[in-house]
Amino acid sequence: MKWISRKTIVIVIVVLVGLFILLAALSGFFVDIFWYDSEGFADVFWTRIWSAVGFGLLIFGMYVLIVGASLFIARMASREKPHVVSEEAVMLPPFGERLRRWGGWLFVAVGGVFAIVNGVSAGSDWPVFQRFLHGVSFGLADPVFGNDVSFYVFRLPFYRMLYDHLYGALVLSTVLVIVWYIFRRMIWIEKWKLRTGKLVKGHVLGMVGGLFALKAWGYHLDKFDILYADHGKFFGAGYADINAALPMYHVLFWLTLAFGVALFLLTWLKSSNFKLLLIIVASFIVLPLILLHVVPWAVQTFEVNPNELLVEEPYIGHNVRMTQTAYGLNRISPRTFGEAGEVYEASGDYLSLIHI
């Protein structure tokens, strides 16, 4: 009788450990199924499960589509004829053929890992997805933007989550594409200038322009954050938020869109000089710091603080009224009791005397 090989023993141990971990993980799942079913809420349980799976697959598919399409275009663009460069050009070693053989799978693997991680993360946010699908009106509008309050409970969180995943997928795609072109020696430095081919230039600038266009939507969503501002004495949008921060969000929205269009237009320019691109990217970094921090700070410091109570009075009123509505205090009728037991009840601009 032959002894069992060491390799077989290791495989059996690994399989047993894996089965134990799997059963331990599924034990809670089956307990939940039996409990929900015993209480007559099996539909609720499966709605939660399928919502998590469905939304996770949706985000996973979005990453696969965006990253996969970007890498496919990069692979097609890298088939163009090699460029003649001078001896002074700064380039990476020629990894082209090796990258063509196995590097593509490495890039696909990196994109796949990010797709899986974000898909699983999105699946845990299934309540946000369900609230978006089944949101109802509150019948109450906020005093700043005029949106129904349900927008901030049901729709805005979903928009933010979708934006984060879209932006993350596009950033990942852009980085992978640029790295691909660099290692394929299709982007190089010559005479202190970035050089590349027309197809590569159009692809990279198109993706960066897409990032700017998507960021414009991000600024549109960020402007609603002023409703959650904490001023110490009250919550909500204050004078500086309405008259300084909000206009700056609008400015950034249109500027970012303009930057995105400018990057798309750079694709058709014959010059490969990337100075304008660097100026746009630098502006993209500096402008938000100035417009969203320095400008509101200046308005708060020099216009609000010297006469804060008078300037902030209307906005404090918004906070008081919305708080009263939230707690149902707006449905309380004020009464004044006299010495003889009569009650003076507030009604319009006069007091009606009620004897008890």
Side-chain angles (χ1 to χ4, degrees):
M1 179 178 179
K2 296 182 178 180
W3 290 96
I4 301 176
S5 66
R6 183 177 300 176
K7 182 179 180 180
T8 303
I9 295 176
V10 172
I11 293 175
V12 171
I13 292 175
V14 170
V15 171
L16 291 176
V17 171
L19 288 174
F20 177 78
I21 295 175
L22 180 63
L23 290 174
L26 291 177
S27 61
F29 177 78
F30 286 113
V31 168
D32 288 342
I33 291 178
F34 296 141
W35 185 84
Y36 275 89
D37 186 63
S38 65
E39 297 295 324
F41 293 106
D43 291 343
V44 175
F45 176 81
W46 287 112
T47 297
R48 185 184 69 175
I49 296 299
W50 290 121
S51 296
V53 173
F55 188 56
L57 288 176
L58 178 65
I59 298 300
F60 171 80
M62 183 193 71
Y63 268 83
V64 170
L65 180 62
I66 295 176
V67 178
S70 302
L71 290 177
F72 177 78
I73 296 173
R75 187 176 180 84
M76 293 298 102
S78 63
R79 291 181 177 179
E80 66 179 1
K81 295 181 180 180
H83 304 280
V84 178
V85 298
S86 64
E87 296 181 356
E88 294 81 10
V90 179
M91 305 177 72
L92 287 177
F95 291 110
E97 291 304 318
R98 280 177 287 176
L99 192 65
R100 185 187 296 275
R101 289 196 300 268
W102 55 264
W105 292 108
L106 176 61
F107 281 75
V108 170
V110 172
V113 168
F114 274 87
I116 293 173
V117 170
N118 284 275
V120 173
S121 174
S124 63
D125 291 325
W126 66 268
V128 178
F129 180 55
Q130 280 293 330
R131 286 196 294 267
F132 172 77
L133 293 179
H134 301 96
V136 296
S137 174
F138 283 16
L140 175 67
D142 77 85
V144 176
F145 296 103
N147 294 321
D148 191 282
V149 175
S150 62
F151 170 80
Y152 305 100
V153 178
F154 301 124
R155 293 163 58 189
L156 184 59
F158 177 77
Y159 292 152
R160 288 188 183 280
M161 183 171 59
L162 184 61
Y163 165 78
D164 289 338
H165 285 296
L166 281 171
Y167 198 78
L170 199 53
V171 168
L172 174 64
S173 301
T174 304
V175 172
L176 290 179
V177 163
I178 292 175
V179 172
W180 172 274
Y181 286 136
I182 290 176
F183 277 92
R184 287 284 296 162
R185 306 185 81 189
M186 304 191 74
I187 297 178
W188 67 94
I189 299 176
E190 186 176 349
K191 295 180 180 179
W192 300 102
K193 294 181 180 180
L194 282 173
R195 300 293 189 183
T196 185
K198 185 176 181 181
L199 290 177
V200 175
K201 175 184 175 183
H203 188 197
V204 173
L205 290 182
M207 296 195 68
V208 177
L211 281 172
F212 274 87
L214 190 58
K215 186 61 179 178
W217 186 38
Y219 284 128
H220 172 71
L221 298 177
D222 289 343
K223 71 181 183 181
F224 298 112
D225 288 341
I226 65 174
L227 298 179
Y228 305 94
D230 181 4
H231 297 278
K233 304 176 182 64
F234 68 97
F235 289 90
Y239 181 90
D241 299 314
I242 299 296
N243 296 280
L246 183 57
M248 294 304 102
Y249 276 118
H250 292 155
V251 170
L252 282 173
F253 173 82
W254 291 110
L255 277 180
T256 309
L257 273 183
F259 288 166
V261 173
L263 288 172
F264 281 115
L265 293 178
L266 280 176
T267 303
W268 287 275
L269 295 180
K270 293 183 179 180
S271 174
S272 298
N273 196 327
F274 277 71
K275 288 182 179 180
L276 182 56
L277 174 61
L278 295 177
I279 293 174
I280 290 176
V281 173
S283 301
F284 174 71
I285 296 173
V286 174
L287 278 176
L289 296 176
I290 297 175
L291 298 181
L292 296 181
H293 296 280
V294 177
V295 174
W297 171 84
V299 172
Q300 179 71 33
T301 302
F302 300 108
E303 190 171 353
V304 176
N305 289 347
N307 197 11
E308 187 172 10
L309 183 59
L310 181 62
V311 172
E312 298 284 19
E313 183 178 359
Y315 308 101
I316 296 175
H318 293 330
N319 176 258
V320 172
R321 285 191 296 273
M322 297 301 286
T323 302
Q324 289 177 335
T325 302
Y327 288 95
L329 301 178
N330 60 324
R331 297 192 296 270
I332 295 177
S333 300
R335 296 182 179 183
T336 302
F337 290 86
E339 296 180 358
E342 66 272 13
V343 179
Y344 296 91
E345 184 173 9
S347 176
D349 295 330
Y350 61 90
L351 294 177
S352 57
L353 182 61
I354 304 176
H355 292 280
I356 59 174

